[in-house]
Amino acid sequence: MDGRLLALARADKEAIRRRSEAEDTRRRRDAYARIPALRETDARLAALVGETASAAAGNGRPLADIRAESLDLQARRAELLAENGLPADWLDGAWACKKCRDTGYADGRMCSCLRELYDKRRADELSVLLNLGDERFETFDLTYYNGDARRQMEKILSICRSYAENFGPTSPNLLMRGGTGLGKTFLSACIARVVSARGFSVVYETTVAAMTAYEDQKFRDKPEAEDAIRRLTDCDLLILDDLGTEMTTEFTKSALYTLLNARLLAGKKTVVSTNLSREELERRYTPAIASRLGGDYQELPFVGQDIRPLKRARGL
C-alpha cells in the first residue's frame, strides 16, 4: 500500500471517529435531559463495574448478585429507551462502522471501512493524475487504424488488457514505444485503472515530474521530494509516461537509471512510454539505461497515424 495515501485514509477515518463521538455525546445529553431515570440507570451500571472488580478480588457482594442487578438494570434501560421511541442501542455508540468502532482496525487487522477510504483516496489521485474520463479498454477505438497497423494495435490492446487483468509479481515490465497520438497514454491509463482497482498500488507520473523530484531532493532540499521518490520506487506498478520529454542532463540520466534499476532489483513492475525510437533511446541515454529498457522490458511498438487530427476530422 502507498504509505502516504494510507496516512490520508487514516486521517479521513479519524475525522469520522470524531464526528461519531460528537454525535454520541449529543445523543447522551439529549436522552438524559428527556429521561432523567435513564441517567440514574446508567450511573448505577457504571458503579457496578467497580463492584464487579471488587467481587472478583473476593471483596464486597457476591458476583452473582451483582450480575443479577446488572441484568435488571439493562432491561430497565431498554424499557426506558423504548418508551421514549429510541432504539435499544441508541446510546451504545454512534459509530459509522460498528465492526471497528471507527478506529479503522478490528481483530488486529485493517477494517474494510478503512480499506474503502484508502481505495477512494487512490482512485481520486489517479483521477487527478490521469484526468480519467473514458480511458477504458472497451473504448479504445481500433477504427483509427488500418491494415497492418490495425492488426498490430489489436495485438497490443490484447496484451495490455491481459497485463492489467493478470498483473502480479511475475508480470513483465513494458516499454510502449511509438510516435505521438498512437494511444500509448490512453492504454497506460487503462492499465492504471484496472491494476489499481484490483488493489495494487499504482503511481502514474510523467518522466519530467519524476526527474523533478530527484532534482528537488538533490539541489533544492525540498522535504516533500523524499516522499515523492519513495512513492516512485515503492509502488507495485509505476507508469512512467513520456520518457524523452524531460531535460536530459548527466544528473537526470543518473537519476533515471537509479529509479529503473532500483525497481528491477526490488521486483517492482514498470510501464514506460516514449515517442523515441530504439536508436534515439540509445543515443540519448547511457548504455546502462538502454540495456535495461532493451533487455528487461517487453517492447510494444505502437504504429499507425496520429489519431488526434483524425478525431478532429470526425468532430470529436
Side-chain angles (χ1 to χ4, degrees):
M1 300 184 88
D2 187 316
R4 185 180 64 86
L5 295 181
L6 180 57
L8 292 172
R10 284 173 174 160
D12 294 338
K13 192 65 198 177
E14 174 62 19
I16 291 171
R17 187 188 65 78
R18 289 196 297 270
R19 289 196 295 272
S20 297
E21 288 182 346
E23 172 63 12
D24 188 53
T25 299
R26 184 195 67 78
R27 288 183 184 183
R28 195 169 298 275
R29 182 185 64 242
D30 293 350
Y32 287 168
R34 288 171 52 193
I35 318 167
L38 183 61
R39 180 194 295 272
E40 297 169 4
T41 301
D42 280 357
R44 182 56 189 156
L45 281 167
L48 288 182
V49 174
E51 288 192 36
T52 300
S54 296
N59 302 315
R61 288 195 296 160
L63 192 57
D65 291 350
I66 297 171
R67 287 174 176 166
E69 183 181 357
S70 177
L71 290 173
D72 288 342
L73 288 168
Q74 290 176 48
R76 175 58 178 156
R77 187 177 193 265
E79 289 174 3
L80 289 169
L81 289 168
E83 288 169 359
N84 288 271
L86 297 174
D89 62 351
W90 186 246
L91 299 183
D92 294 343
W95 315 115
C97 177
K98 296 188 183 300
K99 185 164 62 174
C100 71
R101 296 193 170 191
D102 291 340
T103 64
Y105 293 87
D107 300 324
R109 294 184 176 184
M110 179 185 291
C111 186
S112 58
C113 65
L114 180 56
R115 180 71 200 211
E116 288 173 5
L117 290 171
Y118 174 83
D119 289 343
K120 183 178 185 305
R121 281 285 184 176
R122 185 179 56 195
D124 289 346
E125 176 156 285
L126 278 178
S127 295
V128 172
L129 289 173
L130 301 176
N131 191 26
L132 287 178
D134 203 28
E135 294 95 341
R136 300 179 185 276
F137 291 117
E138 296 79 8
T139 60
F140 187 74
D141 193 347
L142 288 164
T143 64
Y144 289 109
Y145 307 89
N146 297 309
D148 291 341
R150 178 161 181 165
R151 285 186 285 275
Q152 172 66 5
M153 293 309 298
E154 285 175 343
K155 179 180 177 182
I156 286 179
L157 173 60
S158 176
I159 291 171
C160 289
R161 187 196 295 268
S162 177
Y163 184 87
E165 292 174 350
N166 299 288
F167 181 83
T170 61
S171 296
N173 302 296
L174 299 181
L175 174 61
M176 297 180 173
R177 188 180 56 74
T180 60
L182 298 182
K184 299 186 299 298
T185 297
F186 188 103
L187 287 179
S188 294
C190 294
I191 290 173
R193 185 196 292 272
V194 173
V195 173
S196 177
R198 293 182 55 226
F200 295 96
S201 57
V202 179
V203 171
Y204 188 110
E205 197 59 274
T206 65
T207 308
V208 171
M211 294 302 97
T212 297
Y214 281 91
E215 290 172 342
D216 286 345
Q217 179 197 47
K218 176 72 174 178
F219 303 114
R220 304 181 186 101
D221 196 28
K222 291 188 175 182
E224 62 270 22
E226 291 284 350
D227 289 337
I229 291 172
R230 190 176 300 111
R231 292 178 62 242
L232 292 170
T233 55
D234 292 352
C235 61
D236 296 320
L237 176 63
L238 170 64
I239 297 181
L240 199 59
D241 198 22
D242 274 342
L243 178 66
T245 57
E246 77 285 0
M247 180 71 70
T248 307
T249 65
E250 291 305 312
F251 175 78
T252 57
K253 286 189 282 189
S254 174
L256 178 61
Y257 177 77
T258 297
L259 174 59
L260 297 180
N261 195 53
R263 291 189 59 78
L264 283 169
L265 292 176
K268 303 289 188 178
K269 307 307 172 184
T270 309
V271 173
V272 175
S273 71
T274 182
N275 296 339
L276 301 178
S277 67
R278 191 178 302 171
E279 294 74 19
E280 288 170 329
L281 286 171
E282 292 174 353
R283 286 197 302 269
R284 183 164 187 147
Y285 298 105
T286 65
I289 292 175
S291 174
R292 287 287 182 268
L293 294 174
D296 296 299
Y297 284 68
Q298 178 181 346
E299 184 175 333
L300 301 181
F302 282 60
V303 295
Q305 292 180 272
D306 186 340
I307 66 174
R308 287 172 292 193
L310 299 178
K311 282 186 174 182
R312 287 195 293 271
R314 294 184 184 184
L316 300 176

